[in-house]
């Protein structure tokens, strides 16, 4: 099974279009050890021909243009695509906006929780994906399924499971209390398996906390891509970028007693990779003490173009 990180950044990417924070400015200035990043998405394939996208970021067109395996084949007519399905983990803009890039009368399948598919159904702009060509299929939690493209199964099986998270920002209900209307299915994780084998990995790009159910599921995983949005809970406030904590926007932070590094310490995950990394995160800098701490703890920081074969 081949895994390709198309984008590794959180919403807005790096540099973010309107941000002059230290990291965004540093990329524009060409600071060594600080690379540009597009918004988070991963492509996976069992055979190197048919591909499944895990989330469709707003940068998808650029990501396809930079990834030869995702481009049209020269021997299959004037229009074709190796992208056979898209699996969504939430309804945030940085996870679904790329679907609009795939609107050119191209058949593929979209999978999501009922909550996320309801978001698509409620917004008529997604009707540019012709329902006769683009099927929308709900994922049932805890029930693995064979991912299918227009021609049938593509050799990838997925099991979706709910994780602690938050409803998308643009769907928040200020009258709904502390959770802003969050319900099960707003944020999910994925177990991705090569059909007919035990080769698998987990993809959890958004997670608000490591509860017992998620901890039990991820224990001993061979490979995990996990929410790396922030290094500290208040870094966006401290840097003057946004008056919200990581907790408020539904993301764990890497550091601290209740952070990801500490809470994963005893879970025995073999390979751990942070993805969906915000432009404010100092661990993006390869020479920073934060990156040193991340790597000393056994974690890696995903980057655009990162390729893993399992």
């Amino acid at each position: 099974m081949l895994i390709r990180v198309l984008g590794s950044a959180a919403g807005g990417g790096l540099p973010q279009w309107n941000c002059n924070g230290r990291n965004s400015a540093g990329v524009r200035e060409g600071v060594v050890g600080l690379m540009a990043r597009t918004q988070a998405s991963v492509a996976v394939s069992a055979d190197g021909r048919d591909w499944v996208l895990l989330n469709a970021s707003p940068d998808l067109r650029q990501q396809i243009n930079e990834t030869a395996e995702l481009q049209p084949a020269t021997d299959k007519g004037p229009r074709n695509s190796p992208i056979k399905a898209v699996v969504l983990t939430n309804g945030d803009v940085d996870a679904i906006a790329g679907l609009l890039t795939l609107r050119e009368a191209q058949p593929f399948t979209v999978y999501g929780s009922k909550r996320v598919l309801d978001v698509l159904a409620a917004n008529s702009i997604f009707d540019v994906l012709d329902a006769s060509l683009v099927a929308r299929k709900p994922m049932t939690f805890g029930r693995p399924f064979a991912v299918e493209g227009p021609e049938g199964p593509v050799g990838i099986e997925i099991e979706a499971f709910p994780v602690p998270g938050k409803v998308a920002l643009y769907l928040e209900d200020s009258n709904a209390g502390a959770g802003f209307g969050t319900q099960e299915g707003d944020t999910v994780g994925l177990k991705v398996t090569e059909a007919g084998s035990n080769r698998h990995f987990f993809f959890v790009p958004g997670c608000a906390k490591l509860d017992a159910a998620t901890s039990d599921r991820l224990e001993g995983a061979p490979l995990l891509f996990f929410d790396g949005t922030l290094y500290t809970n208040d870094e966006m406030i401290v840097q003057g970028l946004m008056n919200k904590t990581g907790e408020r926007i539904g993301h764990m932070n890497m550091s601290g007693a209740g952070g990801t590094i500490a809470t994963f310490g005893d879970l025995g995950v073999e390979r751990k990779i942070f993805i969906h990394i915000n432009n404010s995160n100092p661990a993006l800098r390869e020479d920073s003490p934060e990156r040193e701490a991340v790597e000393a703890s056994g974690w890696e920081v995903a980057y655009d173009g990162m390729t893993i074969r399992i």
Side-chain angles (χ1 to χ4, degrees):
M1 181 162 54
L2 186 62
I3 304 162
R4 180 70 55 83
V5 175
L6 304 179
S8 54
L14 180 70
Q16 182 173 304
W17 72 277
N18 67 338
C19 182
N20 200 35
R22 183 167 180 255
N23 286 339
S24 288
V27 171
R28 295 188 186 101
E29 294 164 2
V31 169
V32 175
L34 186 60
M35 64 177 69
R37 297 165 185 269
T38 59
Q39 294 165 89
S41 179
V42 166
V44 58
S45 177
D47 58 12
R49 297 187 303 273
D50 296 336
W51 290 84
V52 178
L53 303 186
L54 309 182
N55 289 339
S57 92
D59 298 316
L60 183 55
R61 179 182 177 276
Q62 175 184 343
Q63 292 165 347
I64 291 172
N65 286 341
E66 294 177 353
T67 307
E69 294 91 339
L70 299 184
Q71 296 167 12
T74 58
D75 60 349
K76 293 186 177 180
R79 285 195 176 183
N80 66 89
S81 174
I83 297 171
K84 304 302 180 183
V86 179
V87 184
L88 304 172
T89 67
N90 60 69
D92 289 328
V93 171
D94 56 336
I96 66 174
L99 291 173
L100 302 178
T101 297
L102 306 178
R103 67 189 181 276
E104 308 292 352
Q106 181 66 40
F108 64 98
T109 308
V110 175
Y111 292 91
S113 69
K114 182 180 183 302
R115 285 280 290 176
V116 172
L117 293 185
D118 284 349
V119 170
L120 302 185
N123 193 327
S124 60
I125 194 171
F126 290 102
D127 290 343
V128 299
L129 300 174
D130 187 342
S132 67
L133 297 174
V134 181
R136 301 180 187 179
K137 297 187 177 182
M139 303 185 295
T140 301
F141 294 140
R143 184 179 299 173
F145 63 91
V147 177
E148 294 187 352
E151 298 87 21
V154 298
I156 297 293
E157 295 178 353
I158 284 182
E159 179 183 353
F161 51 94
V163 299
K166 192 185 72 61
V167 69
L169 177 64
Y170 61 93
L171 295 174
E172 286 185 0
D173 181 355
S174 59
N175 298 314
F180 298 96
T182 300
Q183 297 181 28
E184 184 178 80
D186 283 325
T187 307
V188 306
L190 305 173
K191 179 182 180 182
V192 184
T193 303
E194 181 184 61
S197 80
N198 191 39
R199 289 185 284 273
H200 68 279
F201 70 96
F202 289 88
F203 182 68
V204 189
C207 189
K209 65 179 180 180
L210 191 65
D211 62 359
T214 306
S215 178
D216 290 345
R217 183 178 291 274
L218 299 180
E219 184 173 7
L223 173 64
L224 168 67
F225 289 91
F226 194 80
D227 186 347
T229 307
L230 303 178
Y231 191 78
T232 57
N233 189 44
D234 63 349
E235 71 186 42
M236 292 188 295
I237 298 174
V238 170
Q239 296 179 35
L241 301 176
M242 180 184 289
N243 192 32
K244 292 181 180 179
T245 63
E247 183 179 23
R248 168 63 178 83
I249 61 174
H251 293 284
M252 292 181 69
N253 44 280
M254 295 177 177
S255 66
T260 304
I261 292 172
T263 54
F264 271 86
D266 298 325
L267 292 187
V269 178
E270 295 178 25
R271 187 174 183 184
K272 301 168 289 189
I273 303 174
F274 283 122
I275 197 168
H276 193 271
I277 306 155
N278 197 57
N279 63 76
S280 60
N281 195 321
L284 288 170
R285 292 177 171 255
E286 296 175 5
D287 61 353
S288 67
E290 292 84 1
R291 173 66 75 89
E292 182 179 7
V294 165
E295 293 179 345
S297 70
W299 283 83
E300 301 172 53
V301 175
Y303 56 88
D304 293 20
M306 185 180 197
T307 301
I308 299 172
R309 187 180 295 274
I310 61 174

